[in-house]
Amino acid sequence: MKKVAIIMGSDSDLPVVEKAIATLDEYGVPCEVHVYSAHRTPEQAKEFASGARENGFGVIIAAAGKAAHLAGAIAANTTLPVIGIPVKASVLDGVDALLSTVQMPAGIPVATVAIDGAVNAALLSVQILAVSDGALAEKLAAAREAATEKVLAANKKIEDKFNK
């Protein structure tokens, strides 16, 4: 199974990133976690990204706040799918990070999830890997079914209470 790399621009992003790590763990998807800054360690970020495919990765998640150039810097140096997590880390409530992550030039795509959307970044990674992994696809389908059942149970409880 391919691994997922999770790169954060600062260790202050860890509380957000931990949600992605936990979600990947739920699906049995191995991951590696690193701190590389697009601005303070650009050579190390480039080296990691350019060797990621050869090192067994199938997807890279990049989490960063403020200027949030990390996902784009990673994407510029790999052809693997890159998913950006804009992190709420400034007085602009993460909108600065969202815009920096989502506004990529043609030819260097970055899939972008919601501000602090680590769970969806992990789930999107699992979906990407599941394209070629039937067992992961089955786990995703089972999780969707469980989510459906949970909502239907809540609906029944509400209906029973208020629709008499």
Side-chain angles (χ1 to χ4, degrees):
M1 174 184 300
K2 297 282 186 183
K3 302 178 286 185
V4 173
I6 302 176
I7 312 299
M8 60 190 119
S10 168
D11 62 353
S12 65
D13 301 327
L14 185 58
V16 171
V17 165
E18 284 178 322
K19 296 171 187 163
I21 296 166
T23 302
L24 291 169
D25 187 55
E26 288 175 25
Y27 283 88
V29 175
C31 69
E32 283 186 18
V33 184
H34 301 276
V35 177
Y36 295 126
S37 167
H39 304 109
R40 295 176 299 249
T41 61
E43 292 304 317
Q44 291 84 353
K46 178 180 180 180
E47 182 180 335
F48 182 88
S50 62
R53 183 182 302 276
E54 294 75 25
N55 289 318
F57 294 97
V59 179
I60 300 173
I61 296 172
K66 298 183 181 175
H69 294 128
L70 183 61
I74 296 293
N77 290 289
T78 186
T79 56
L80 290 175
V82 175
I83 302 166
I85 304 173
V87 176
K88 182 179 176 180
S90 73
V91 296
L92 298 176
D93 290 330
V95 173
D96 50 347
L98 174 63
L99 295 174
S100 294
T101 305
V102 77
Q103 292 292 1
M104 293 300 300
I108 308 295
V110 170
T112 307
V113 295
I115 297 167
D116 291 348
V119 171
N120 273 351
L123 289 172
L124 182 54
S125 296
V126 173
Q127 288 178 315
I128 290 167
L129 296 177
V131 167
S132 61
D133 186 324
L136 272 182
E138 289 177 18
K139 287 180 183 180
L140 283 165
R144 291 274 179 102
E145 182 61 31
T148 297
E149 294 303 319
K150 184 176 178 179
V151 170
L152 291 176
N155 177 59
K156 180 166 180 12
K157 185 176 176 181
I158 295 297
E159 285 178 348
D160 288 349
K161 182 174 181 175
F162 295 105
N163 299 341
K164 299 191 188 247

